[in-house]
Amino acid sequence: MRLETCIRKGLGLKAHRVREVREEAGQLLAEIERYPHRHLRCGHCLRRTRRIHSRQPRRRWRDLRIRDQDLILVYAPVRVLCPVCGPRLEALPWASRWQRITHGLSLAIARLSRELSWKQTALFFGTDWKTVAAAVKAAVQRGFELRRWKPLHVIGIDEVSRSKGQRYLTLVYDLERGRLVWIGENRDAETMNRFFAWLGPRRARSIRVVCCDMWAVYIDAVREKLPQAKLVFDRFHVVQHLNRAVDEVRRAGWRQLTGEEKSAFKRTRWLWLKNPWNLKREDKRRLSLLCRKNMPIVRAYYLKEAFQSFWDYRSPGWARPYLTQWLWWASHSRLEPFKRFAQMIRQHLDGILAWTKLRVSNGALEGMNNKVKVVSHRAYGYRSVETYTTAIWHGCGNLPLE
């Protein structure tokens, strides 16, 4: 097979042909010309026509390499006389409008940029960063068009930090199917209004369960916009607040210790925070010796382990008395961090008890947050929110590329 024929079939040319391929300055230049009597398509409405208005200057498009040589397509596009749109530039089968790289190269860049940073991808293909950014943006837009949206029943809402200074992105996740649904800047009421405006009242009616942390903005928005949905507070965030209370007690007790007692409690942070079944044998032995001392951290540890038993209940009727008893114990423990934690649990008791029936958590969303952080760390951060959002959709959105 001739090289010209191979390129023509690879590009899917019907109204054009590859006239010749020549080598110039270490590159392969493929000269393309159109067949005189074949239909062209309008670049706006894609209607077929044979009428020609004028011819444009010769342009170049970069394609995938052949061995170690760049392949450059050279063609002088024409302006067709569309019966509906008037004079328009023809639709090219190998590239989109305004692009100077072919569909094949753009798809290859989009695939590799899911694994590497945009700078590394640009170095691999010998392009610049802006070309990679444009290819990724086009791939994301195409992915939105190809993605099939199904009804949402169980969603998770969480935030991820995008830069220093309390700047966040709000992520909405389909917990039932395990995929990203929506990304918005900030985590305020306006952000949630934008999400529900995008969602629409018809799709909002199908949502039955919402899992989120105890951020007041999320709670108020869900109760206002989704009155039919059951609100569940994420187990991960509740345990995070519990471990934070344990650690505060440990630090306060550490500051009061002196001498041999201080050396005995040195490097014990994770002994108090880990689950007992995750401890090694020597760690279990050391924790058993420490628990024999009458100290505030020991009370905090027993309170933590007693609270963890709540997650095993499957009936609100049995879980509520147990949690009520635990809250009384924590409130009378003479530990200020646990008093504040107990007060927080009382304020959000219904959403926490809903766990016993629904067993829904944002564990998948927390895993997505880690992937989002990897996307940011891979590029050492992004200057604009739009570019960062595009990178998240491309790397974590599981969008189809073709």
Side-chain angles (χ1 to χ4, degrees), residues 174-209:
D174 184 355
L175 296 177
E176 194 175 30
R177 298 179 182 89
R179 66 178 187 177
L180 190 61
V181 173
W182 187 81
I183 304 175
E185 184 181 0
N186 297 326
R187 56 169 184 167
D188 51 14
E190 183 181 350
T191 304
M192 298 307 298
N193 289 334
R194 290 200 306 270
F195 165 66
F196 286 112
W198 170 86
L199 186 66
R202 183 177 63 85
R203 286 192 291 181
R205 284 194 294 268
S206 66
I207 298 177
R208 294 289 173 261
V209 179

Side-chain angles (χ1 to χ4, degrees), residues 1-202:
M1 183 186 295
R2 295 176 58 203
L3 183 57
E4 290 84 353
T5 305
C6 180
I7 295 174
R8 177 179 61 82
K9 290 186 176 182
L11 296 176
L13 304 182
K14 300 297 182 182
H16 306 78
R17 72 183 184 93
V18 181
R19 182 168 55 85
E20 67 169 344
V21 178
R22 68 178 188 275
E23 187 175 1
E24 183 178 299
Q27 296 178 330
L28 293 178
L29 270 60
E31 295 281 352
I32 298 178
E33 63 181 13
R34 74 179 189 89
Y35 289 109
H37 302 295
R38 294 196 180 180
H39 287 88
L40 299 177
R41 290 187 179 273
C42 171
H44 182 70
C45 65
L46 300 181
R47 282 184 172 84
R48 299 176 65 190
T49 180
R50 286 178 179 169
R51 301 176 62 190
I52 305 300
H53 178 269
S54 60
R55 182 174 289 276
Q56 298 294 306
R58 287 156 56 92
R59 299 178 185 176
R60 295 189 174 200
W61 293 263
R62 184 175 174 182
D63 197 10
L64 290 167
R65 292 175 179 173
I66 296 181
R67 298 297 295 260
D68 59 343
Q69 290 182 303
D70 294 333
L71 177 60
I72 307 298
L73 308 182
V74 183
Y75 176 64
V78 300
R79 287 170 62 84
V80 298
L81 275 174
C82 178
V84 176
C85 307
R88 293 281 181 174
L89 195 68
E90 66 171 310
L92 301 175
W94 61 83
S96 301
R97 193 179 183 184
W98 311 118
Q99 279 194 339
R100 289 296 175 265
I101 59 175
T102 62
H103 292 312
L105 180 56
S106 179
L107 182 60
I109 289 175
R111 283 174 174 164
L112 188 61
S113 61
R114 281 185 170 177
E115 307 299 332
L116 303 178
S117 69
W118 293 4
K119 183 178 180 180
Q120 291 172 321
T121 304
L123 291 174
F124 180 83
F125 286 103
T127 62
D128 58 358
W129 187 89
K130 291 183 179 180
T131 301
V132 177
V136 171
K137 186 175 181 180
V140 170
Q141 291 175 349
R142 179 63 174 164
F144 285 145
E145 296 172 0
L146 296 175
R147 186 179 188 181
R148 296 183 61 185
W149 295 97
K150 296 182 180 180
L152 299 174
H153 302 295
V154 183
I155 65 172
I157 305 174
D158 199 6
E159 74 280 347
V160 62
S161 176
R162 69 175 180 87
S163 63
K164 295 180 180 179
Q166 301 293 319
R167 297 180 181 179
Y168 295 94
L169 294 178
T170 295
L171 306 182
V172 181
Y173 200 68
D174 184 355
L175 296 177
E176 194 175 30
R177 298 179 182 89
R179 66 178 187 177
L180 190 61
V181 173
W182 187 81
I183 304 175
E185 184 181 0
N186 297 326
R187 56 169 184 167
D188 51 14
E190 183 181 350
T191 304
M192 298 307 298
N193 289 334
R194 290 200 306 270
F195 165 66
F196 286 112
W198 170 86
L199 186 66
R202 183 177 63 85

